[in-house]
Amino acid sequence: METEHRVSTLELFFDLVFVFTVTQLTVLLADDLTLRGAAQVVLVFTVLFWMYGGYAHLTNQVPPDRNGRRVALMVAMGAFLVCALAVPTAFGRGGVAFGLGYLLVVLVHSALFTQAHGRGVVWFALPNVLCALAVIAAGLMDGRAAWGLWLVALLLQFVTPLIVRRAAATGEEVVEETVGDQLGGMDAGHLVERHGLLLIIVFGESVIAIGIGVGALPLTFGIAGGAFLALAVASALWWMYFVHDEGRAEEVFARTPPDRRFKLAMRAYYYAFLPMLIGIAAFAAGVKKTIGHLGDQLPAGPAVALAGGVALYLTGDLLFRRALGIGPLRFRAVALPLVAATVPAGMRLGGAWQLVALVAVLVGVLAVEERSVRRAVPVAGPAPAATS
């Protein structure tokens, strides 16, 4: 039986600092609602989220229960803060600062993992360092060269899990005792709880976006109603993950053999969580641009950000459920084209109507899904009468 290992307050503090990067990415996207701006947000966040996942696995196996580890984790928090501050100019004059902050994030991560797993850490530390160097080099370049180096960094991240799994399978003693332990020794409860807490903090970003969008505008009934609708969309997205999926995810991880947990964690909490988190940021950017213009016809950018953010979240949610083998999937899949169809409502009728349509789609899907699930679960009959 596994020993219970829950998220510490320092890890939660770490997550709060990391989520500032999401705030900065929302600002970046809201200021540049174009394909170019969206591509920058995806690249920057994918690179950052890779190392967030690295720290989630790190504290799962190397808990910050000693002063040295706590201080190192705080240094990493400072490095993530530097990255976040440089996000708006990561593809410009702030690129080098972003890369140097990212390099420090990588070095601290590698050093802490070495404490527990020795020399085997090189199998993922080296690709991570090369990734950071590519980002630093991108900060020194312009145009296609910079974009190319960012893509190199991304490629290194996607290749690293393959390298690590192959290293674990080599059978070499030093590798078995280090990387092999990393792959198989995850605590299911801690892993699920850590990512759930991250998700709920990121949801807070969508609430902050409402306040930023309102700004100094007078709080009319229309503004209050729009804020309520935006919160209703965020609440429906929260419901989709936290009411059923989080608990079921922990059950799936707990019964998954240790040698398969790392691969499952990558599929569920990296590849699936990426669109979920980026989706929340995109929706928040759309809300920020919409909340003060609810009665106006929306430009394409804000309308697509609202619907696209929700659609990205749903896509990630479907990937998450598929990775873990939990369902049903069909109702949320049907919601995707319905969500996309709200874009014309925003552009022709106004932002308020698009928010109404999004709420209607999400609440409708959740209601139909809940009814289907209840019908599928057999109802227990009355207890048999006692016999004498």
Side-chain angles (χ1 to χ4, degrees):
M1 184 175 180
E2 295 183 0
T3 304
E4 187 177 40
H5 174 201
R6 292 301 177 182
V7 177
S8 67
T9 54
L10 181 56
E11 291 170 89
L12 184 57
F13 189 15
F14 182 98
D15 291 355
L16 287 168
V17 174
F18 173 77
V19 168
F20 180 50
T21 63
V22 180
T23 303
Q24 292 287 77
L25 288 167
T26 300
V27 172
L28 176 63
L29 184 59
D31 290 342
D32 186 12
L33 282 171
T34 63
L35 287 175
R36 180 179 181 275
Q40 288 183 353
V41 165
V42 170
L43 279 174
V44 172
F45 186 70
T46 302
V47 167
L48 285 172
F49 189 57
W50 170 259
M51 282 312 302
Y52 171 83
Y55 275 86
H57 291 302
L58 168 70
T59 54
N60 188 289
Q61 309 229 321
V62 187
D65 53 3
R66 305 173 191 173
N67 287 339
R69 293 176 180 178
R70 295 185 183 109
V71 171
L73 205 58
M74 290 177 181
V75 171
M77 289 163 56
F80 264 123
L81 182 60
V82 170
C83 292
L85 292 170
V87 159
T89 55
F91 278 77
R93 64 183 184 276
V96 173
F98 180 96
L100 290 173
Y102 192 75
L103 179 60
L104 182 55
V105 167
V106 169
L107 292 176
V108 173
H109 176 264
S110 301
L112 281 172
F113 245 132
T114 302
Q115 290 185 15
H117 301 302
R119 291 179 296 167
V121 74
V122 70
W123 293 103
F124 54 87
L126 181 58
N128 287 342
V129 169
L130 292 174
C131 174
L133 293 177
V135 172
I136 293 172
L140 300 171
M141 304 291 182
D142 294 315
R144 293 182 178 178
W147 283 88
L149 285 164
W150 274 94
L151 289 174
V152 167
L154 207 63
L155 179 63
L156 284 166
Q157 291 183 345
F158 286 129
V159 169
T160 300
L162 302 177
I163 296 173
V164 172
R165 285 202 295 271
R166 169 159 285 199
T170 60
E172 296 177 17
E173 182 179 356
V174 66
V175 175
E176 270 188 20
E177 292 177 355
T178 57
V179 181
D181 288 344
Q182 181 212 6
L183 299 182
M186 293 181 188
D187 181 275
H190 178 274
L191 186 74
V192 173
E193 183 184 19
R194 181 75 187 271
H195 286 85
L197 288 171
L198 172 69
L199 188 61
I200 198 67
I201 296 170
V202 174
F203 270 122
E205 168 58 31
S206 64
V207 178
I208 293 171
I210 297 172
I212 294 174
V214 172
L217 294 173
L219 188 59
T220 62
F221 283 108
I223 293 291
F228 185 89
L229 288 170
L231 183 61
V233 173
S235 298
L237 298 179
W238 169 88
W239 192 291
M240 286 184 165
Y241 178 82
F242 285 100
V243 169
H244 295 300
D245 290 6
E246 186 180 38
R248 294 166 72 186
E250 185 169 345
E251 293 172 3
V252 171
F253 270 99
R255 64 173 181 259
T256 298
D259 61 338
R260 294 174 54 194
R261 285 186 186 176
F262 180 77
K263 184 177 180 180
L264 184 61
M266 286 296 301
R267 292 172 59 196
Y269 286 115
Y270 182 66
Y271 298 120
F273 249 53
L274 264 174
M276 291 173 71
L277 296 171
I278 294 174
I280 297 172
F283 174 73
V287 168
K288 183 180 176 184
K289 288 294 188 180
T290 301
I291 201 74
H293 309 279
L294 291 164
D296 302 333
Q297 293 179 337
L298 294 179
V304 171
L306 287 175
V310 173
L312 272 174
Y313 183 91
L314 285 171
T315 300
D317 178 67
L318 286 167
L319 292 172
F320 181 83
R321 285 189 153 203
R322 184 176 179 83
L324 296 175
I326 58 180
L329 302 177
R330 61 187 183 278
F331 302 110
R332 301 185 186 192
V334 169
L336 281 171
L338 298 178
V339 166
T342 67
V343 173
M347 296 179 65
R348 295 178 184 176
L349 302 177
W353 288 105
Q354 184 174 5
L355 288 172
V356 168
L358 286 171
V359 171
V361 169
L362 295 175
V363 172
V365 165
L366 285 170
V368 172
E369 181 179 274
E370 188 70 20
R371 186 176 180 183
S372 173
V373 170
R374 287 183 178 179
R375 284 182 174 180
V377 177
V379 179
T387 57
S388 56

